[in-house]
Amino acid sequence: MNSAPEIHEQSVAALIARYLKSQGVKRVYGLCGGHIMPIWMRLNAEGITIIDVRDERAAVYMAHAEAELGGGLGVALVTAGPGVTNAMTGIAYSHVARSSVLVLSGLPPVPQGNRGALQDIVHTDLVRSITRYAHTVIHADMALQELDEAVCRSFGQGGEPGPTYLDFPVDVLRQRVSPAVALPERFVARTFTSIAPNSAEVLAAMELLWSAKRPLVISGRGAKLSSSALTELLTRTGAAYLDTGESKGLVPDDHPSVVAAMRGVVMSQADVVLTLGRRLDFQLAYGSPAVFGHAKFIRIADCAAELRDNRRGEVEILASCDRTLQAMLEVAGDRVPAAEKPWLQSLRQQHEERSKKLALSMQNTPAGRDGLMHPNKILAALREVVDDNTIVVADGGDFLSFARVGLPASTYLDPGSLGCIGVGTPLGVAASLVCPEKTVVVATGDGSFGFNAMELDTAVRHNAPVLVVVANNGAWAIEVRDQIESYGTVVGTQLRFSDYAAMAKGLGLYAERVERAEDLPHAIARAMANRPALLDVLVTPEAVSSDAKSGLAWVPDLQALGTWDEAERKWRNSESDHP
C-alpha cells in the first residue's frame, strides 16, 4: 500500500493550521480532496473542527455565516478544479455581502503544472473578480506572509471587506518552512481597529441631520456594531428608520422610529437621508431622485463602496459607523433637533396599523382554490415560537417576499442583494453550530431548498440543531406568475409537490409533512423538540407575493420594481423637476 509523504510540523500545511488557530478560527468548512489533504489533516491535529459538507458552495455559505454571526473570520477549504468552481457561487455571495471569508485550495504539484495534471486549472483567474485578494503561493517561505495579507484584506484593511482566496501546489504544502521566516509576530491574533472620523465632517453631518425636518436613517452592513449608538441617535433626533436585510434586528421593532411598513412613503418624503454602511443598490432605488425626491444625503461608511455609489452625499465620512455616530451625539450635546414630531408619529401609527393588519391577515388568510394553505399561515405559526433568542434564516424567491415582512427577527440572514437563493439550509446549519445557545429556524421555499438539500446530512452528522421549514408550493412561483401574465403560457417553472419530509427522514432527521394549517402549531412544537428537524408544509401556488406583483420577475429597464421604474422614466423625461 502506498503511504502519503509525512507532513512535517514545520511544513506549510502545519503552519497554515497553526496560523488559523492563532487567529481564533474554531471551525473550517470544507469538502476533502487530495490536493488539500495536508491542510485538512493538520487542521485536525491543531484541534480545529472540520465541518465536512456535501457541496463546496455550501462550505463557503457556512463560512459566511461563521463570519457574520461569530464576528471573526470564516474559513472554507475546497479542493482543486471542480472544488473551486463549485465554490464560486458561495464566493460571489460573500463578495456582494462584503463578509470576511478566507477560501483555501490546492493545486497539482509544481513539476506537474501545465502538463495536463488532474484538476489543473488556474483558479485565481476565475475568482479574482469576486475576491479582494487572489494568489497562488509557490514558495513555502511566503506562505505565512500571504496568509496574513489575505486575512487583512478580508477584513477590509486597505479597502472593501470581503472574501479572499489562496491556493498552494500540494508539494508546496508538504515543504518545510524556514524557521527564520516563521516569526512569532505572524501568530499574534489581530484586532482590526475602527476608523476614527474627521471632526469637521462629524460637525457637518450633525448640523445637517439636526436641521432636518423629515430625517431618515437607513442602515446596512457597516452598522452592525452600532446598535446602541444608532438607537440613541434615533431617539435624540426623532428620525424615521429603515433597516435592510444586512442589518435587520439592530433596532428593536417597538422603537418609535421604526417605520418599515411605510418604506415607500418615507423614502419619498424624507428631506435628509443618512446611510450607515449601506450601498444605494436596487433595493433602495439606487438613491434616485425619482424615488427620494430632493432629499440631501449623508453617507457614512468604513469602505468607499458604501460611501459614494449612485448618490454623493452633502457630507461623506469614511470612518466606522459606530464611532461616527457616537461623535455626532457628543457634538450635538443638548441641541434640540428640528424634526417634525407629527410626521414621524403619523408614519409610526400607519406602520403599526399595517403591521397589525398584516399579522391578522396572516392568521386569517384563506386557502387557495386547491384547498392548500397560504404561505402566510406558516409564518403566522412560526411567529408564535420566534423570539429574541432566535436566528431566522429566510430563503427563496416568492416565499422570501412573504417571510421578509412576515417573520420578525433580532438576528437575520437571507440571500442578500445577490439574490443567491439556496443559502438557507447551509446558513442554518452553520448558525446553529456558531450560536448553540440560540434557536435557528430556516424558512425556505421548495425551489431554493433544492439547491443544497443534501446539507441536511451535514446537520445530522454534526449535530446541528436547526429547524428547516419548507413552504412546498410545487413551483418557481414568481416566474410562473410572470409567464402567465406576460406570455400566456408556463414553461419549465413548475415543480412537483415532492415529499421532502421523506427525504429528510432518509437522511436521519426528524421530519413531518403538514397539509393542514391547524396542524402546524403542534408539528412545530414536535420539530423544535427533536432538532435537527424538517417540516414539509404544502402551500398553495396561487398565493401572490409583493415581489411577484412588483415586476421583479420581468426585470424593468431602469429600476428593480415596476412602480419605481415608471417614476424613473417620468423623472428622466421631465426637465422642470431637475435641479
Side-chain angles (χ1 to χ4, degrees), residues 30-340:
L31 203 163
C32 200
H35 294 102
I36 57 171
M37 190 67 76
I39 305 176
W40 193 274
M41 301 311 294
R42 289 307 307 180
L43 289 173
N44 180 69
E46 287 290 341
I48 295 175
T49 300
I50 296 175
I51 307 300
D52 53 312
V53 302
R54 300 299 299 270
D55 186 278
E56 287 89 354
R57 68 185 154 174
V60 187
Y61 293 152
M62 292 184 188
H64 169 93
E66 178 85 36
E68 292 296 295
L69 300 174
L73 181 70
V75 182
L77 178 59
V78 302
T79 199
V84 174
T85 57
N86 284 349
M88 285 180 65
T89 299
I91 297 172
Y93 173 62
S94 291
H95 160 66
V96 174
R98 307 179 295 290
S99 60
S100 299
V101 169
L102 171 66
V103 180
L104 300 174
S105 186
L107 285 167
V110 172
Q112 297 182 42
N114 202 32
R115 298 180 65 194
L118 175 67
Q119 298 179 340
D120 185 15
I121 58 175
V122 183
H123 304 136
T124 51
D125 285 353
L126 298 177
V127 303
R128 186 164 284 113
S129 68
I130 51 174
T131 57
R132 304 298 176 267
Y133 189 73
H135 193 68
T136 296
V137 183
I138 59 173
H139 195 289
D141 286 354
M142 289 299 295
L144 288 173
Q145 180 173 323
E146 290 293 346
L147 272 169
D148 219 5
E149 184 66 20
V151 170
C152 289
R153 296 281 190 100
S154 187
F155 280 102
Q157 297 298 297
E160 185 181 20
T164 52
Y165 174 88
L166 292 176
D167 58 19
F168 306 78
V170 69
D171 60 327
V172 174
L173 288 174
R174 293 190 284 254
Q175 289 174 9
R176 188 171 180 269
V177 176
S178 169
V181 300
L183 300 172
E185 67 197 47
R186 296 292 186 191
F187 300 95
V188 175
R190 300 298 173 191
T191 54
F192 297 100
T193 56
S194 56
I195 307 172
N198 175 280
S199 57
E201 293 171 345
V202 167
L203 180 60
M206 185 279 297
E207 290 286 352
L208 183 55
L209 186 63
W210 257 253
S211 65
K213 294 183 177 180
R214 298 183 302 280
L216 168 63
V217 177
I218 304 174
S219 63
R221 178 213 63 86
K224 287 180 181 177
L225 301 178
S226 308
S227 177
S228 178
L230 171 57
T231 303
E232 184 179 353
L233 181 85
L234 295 172
T235 301
R236 290 274 302 277
T237 60
Y241 173 67
L242 296 177
D243 64 9
T244 59
E246 296 180 356
S247 60
K248 194 169 184 177
L250 278 181
V251 177
D253 287 340
D254 60 1
H255 193 282
S257 289
V258 174
V259 293
M262 302 299 295
R263 185 172 297 265
V265 174
V266 70
M267 285 167 63
S268 67
Q269 292 182 353
D271 60 353
V272 171
V273 178
L274 167 62
T275 65
L276 294 170
R278 186 60 164 87
R279 284 178 170 172
L280 290 170
D281 61 12
F282 75 95
Q283 296 171 317
L284 294 171
Y286 309 115
S288 173
V291 175
F292 283 92
H294 298 298
K296 297 178 180 179
F297 281 78
I298 303 171
R299 310 294 304 273
I300 302 173
D302 60 4
C303 69
E306 297 164 351
L307 193 68
R308 53 180 180 263
D309 63 313
N310 293 313
R311 290 294 299 275
R312 299 301 300 254
E314 293 282 323
V315 182
E316 297 173 349
I317 303 178
L318 181 61
S320 302
C321 291
D322 189 52
R323 294 185 67 172
T324 304
L325 293 179
Q326 292 178 23
M328 288 173 64
L329 290 166
E330 292 173 4
V331 170
D334 296 328
R335 178 169 170 171
V336 178
E340 298 174 349

Side-chain angles (χ1 to χ4, degrees), residues 71 287 312 354 416 449 577:
R312 299 301 300 254
R354 286 191 179 183
F449 171 70
D577 290 339

